[in-house]
Amino acid sequence: MLDPETLLSQLVGFDTTSHRSNRACIDFIRNYLEDVGVQSTIITSDDGNKACLWATLGPTDKKGLVLAGHTDVVPVEGQNWTSDPFVLIERAGKFYGRGACDMKAFIACVLAVLPSFAKRDLQRPLHLAFTHDEETDMAGARRLTDHLRKEGIVPSWTWIGEPTELYLIDQHKGTAFFETKITGVPGHSSKPDKGLNAIELGAQFLDIIKRTAHGRKQKPFADSRFDPPYSTFNLGIIEGGTAENIIAEHCRIVWQVRTHPGDDLDKTLDEIERTTTKEIKPRFAVFAPRAGMSTCICSRVPPLMPVADNPGEEILKRLTGRNDTQAVSFGTEGGFYQGLGAPVIICGPGSIDQAHKADEYVNREQLTACVALLEKTLAEVTK
Ligand SMILES: [Zn+2]
């Protein structure tokens, strides 16, 4: 068995920035597990460049805990690092490196405690789920949970080790972003009625989004743990037109929705679609099929909802001595695992304040505490 520091140093050594391959890192984990007698299933992306790892210890005919984490990390470009981000170094009880807290620390702790469980006769299974592209479009978690659904695997609960300083999180908003493209009909600006101005239609669409956002703001969720306590919208990118004297042919708008748990994104999208059909689409009629508009879903990450009966919450509250759970503003893979029909708890070493920054680090005591928490929890859930 390797200690978590050594494992963390090995994991940080793989540059798994989301746009690069994570295969070498996954191979390392697979080989490590194989050495302690645990077989893994590797689920690759279509181009084979990325992979998720799924492994089970113990019986396969019972529900078990899933220990989940992402292997990818955010880029280091443009950040002012004191040392090589892909070489873990320790300074004054802190381990520095890209992914040191988000979230190779948890994976290192899981791998450190696992060998002793691999030797035991487990009464209930333990599963490992390591993904790619959590920091981008969550394609890994989507693919992995689709695979589990096909295999009919329902966990007892899922523990995701995102950096929370070992506080317990059971709720976050969902995020989704969209690209709306409007095609108008160009012409000379002196004859505006001969063409159809895509930018003008874009402005109408922005107004629909603004009104929808306003509607959500008017009806905040009572007892919400979020600030703000409603779904929010952001207009992120707008592009269009070619010159001041040409009726704009194109307009592109990229927008985002952060869905409050309990708010139905599909209903929101239907609402936007209905208003668009009523207010904008009739203007295309004269110019069809040349003119038109379409919206594509670029990414959709479900919210994480607290559930009444969460065994993970009960165990981790007791073992950490905490008596509350919290809501966070950042998204995780939690909604995908919750979609399998089992509760999720987010709890991991390190702080989100150190994540995604130059000189990202995790404290030694956080690693030690996480290992102890894993040992106690796994002993309990596999009895
Ligand atoms: Zn993360």
Side-chain angles (χ1 to χ4, degrees):
M1 170 185 162
L2 291 173
D3 57 74
E5 298 83 14
T6 307
L7 283 158
L8 182 57
S9 142
Q10 283 168 325
L11 292 170
V12 166
F14 297 103
D15 176 358
T16 53
T17 309
S18 304
H19 63 84
R20 300 173 70 107
S21 171
N22 72 332
R23 294 295 301 261
C25 181
I26 288 287
D27 282 346
F28 165 77
I29 299 172
R30 187 189 57 192
N31 292 337
Y32 175 86
L33 293 173
E34 204 169 276
D35 286 347
V36 295
V38 178
Q39 298 306 312
S40 308
T41 302
I42 304 297
I43 300 147
T44 54
S45 59
D46 289 335
D47 64 5
N49 236 339
K50 312 269 181 81
C52 295
L53 180 145
W54 172 257
T56 300
L57 288 76
T60 51
D61 58 343
K62 289 179 186 154
K63 287 184 180 183
L65 164 62
V66 177
L67 297 164
H70 62 86
T71 60
D72 63 313
V73 295
V74 293
V76 296
E77 280 77 27
Q79 297 186 334
N80 195 12
W81 282 75
T82 309
S83 57
D84 184 341
F86 299 106
V87 177
L88 191 78
I89 62 154
E90 184 179 6
R91 293 195 298 266
K94 292 172 181 167
F95 294 97
Y96 292 86
R98 173 52 87 227
C101 84
D102 186 13
M103 59 171 287
K104 289 175 170 172
F106 182 73
I107 298 176
C109 293
V110 168
L111 296 180
V113 302
L114 214 75
S116 82
F117 288 90
K119 287 194 215 102
R120 299 184 205 178
D121 181 22
L122 307 183
Q123 296 306 302
R124 283 187 281 168
L126 271 182
H127 304 287
L128 305 181
F130 299 135
T131 61
H132 59 85
D133 278 312
E134 190 272 348
E135 302 287 6
T136 55
D137 57 3
M138 305 223 179
R142 191 173 289 118
R143 191 178 292 271
L144 177 63
T145 51
D146 280 348
H147 170 81
L148 299 181
R149 208 170 286 114
K150 267 188 223 124
E151 299 285 312
I153 296 168
V154 179
S156 53
W157 57 288
T158 299
W159 177 354
I160 304 178
E162 288 286 352
T164 67
E165 297 176 273
L166 300 173
Y167 283 90
L168 311 182
I169 309 295
D170 65 352
Q171 190 177 33
H172 61 68
K173 287 184 179 178
T175 54
F177 81 93
F178 307 87
E179 183 183 59
T180 298
K181 282 182 174 165
I182 299 168
T183 307
V185 176
H188 196 279
S189 61
S190 62
K191 301 214 185 303
D193 294 340
K194 298 271 187 228
L196 185 63
N197 194 311
I199 292 179
E200 205 183 302
L201 298 177
Q204 269 187 278
F205 184 70
L206 299 186
D207 188 57
I208 293 171
I209 300 288
K210 264 171 62 191
R211 272 147 49 200
T212 312
H214 186 70
R216 293 297 178 281
K217 195 174 174 178
Q218 294 305 105
K219 287 188 204 143
F221 280 82
D223 306 322
S224 171
R225 295 188 287 172
F226 291 99
D227 178 22
Y230 44 84
S231 299
T232 57
F233 294 72
N234 184 53
L235 298 163
I237 300 173
I238 182 160
E239 285 173 355
T242 37
E244 93 289 351
N245 57 358
I246 300 173
I247 298 170
E249 186 179 9
H250 298 288
C251 184
R252 182 174 86 96
I253 298 163
V254 178
W255 50 286
Q256 184 203 47
V257 187
R258 289 189 178 267
T259 313
H260 192 289
D263 201 355
D264 185 343
L265 179 62
D266 284 319
K267 279 193 187 146
T268 305
L269 298 178
D270 280 352
E271 189 181 317
I272 292 170
E273 179 60 24
R274 271 200 310 276
T275 318
T276 306
T277 302
K278 201 168 108 207
E279 298 180 8
I280 303 180
K281 292 199 173 164
R283 299 196 56 194
F284 293 119
V286 189
F287 301 96
R290 195 170 165 193
M293 70 185 286
S294 63
T295 293
C296 79
I297 303 176
C298 305
S299 163
R300 187 172 173 164
V301 176
L304 178 65
M305 323 268 248
V307 293
D309 191 17
N310 188 339
E313 182 183 329
E314 188 276 315
I315 294 169
L316 292 181
K317 267 185 180 171
R318 179 158 40 78
L319 295 178
T320 56
R322 302 201 193 281
N323 52 19
D324 66 341
T325 56
Q326 300 176 4
V328 286
S329 54
F330 58 89
T332 73
E333 297 175 331
F336 291 101
Y337 290 100
Q338 195 166 49
L340 293 172
V344 172
I345 277 282
I346 318 283
C347 171
S351 164
I352 197 73
D353 293 344
Q354 270 86 53
H356 297 200
K357 287 185 184 158
D359 292 345
E360 172 181 346
Y361 69 84
V362 64
N363 282 319
R364 179 182 279 279
E365 54 266 32
Q366 283 277 301
L367 286 184
T368 312
C370 184
V371 163
L373 184 60
L374 277 162
E375 275 171 344
K376 283 189 221 156
T377 308
L378 302 195
E380 199 170 308
V381 300
T382 54
K383 268 197 299 209

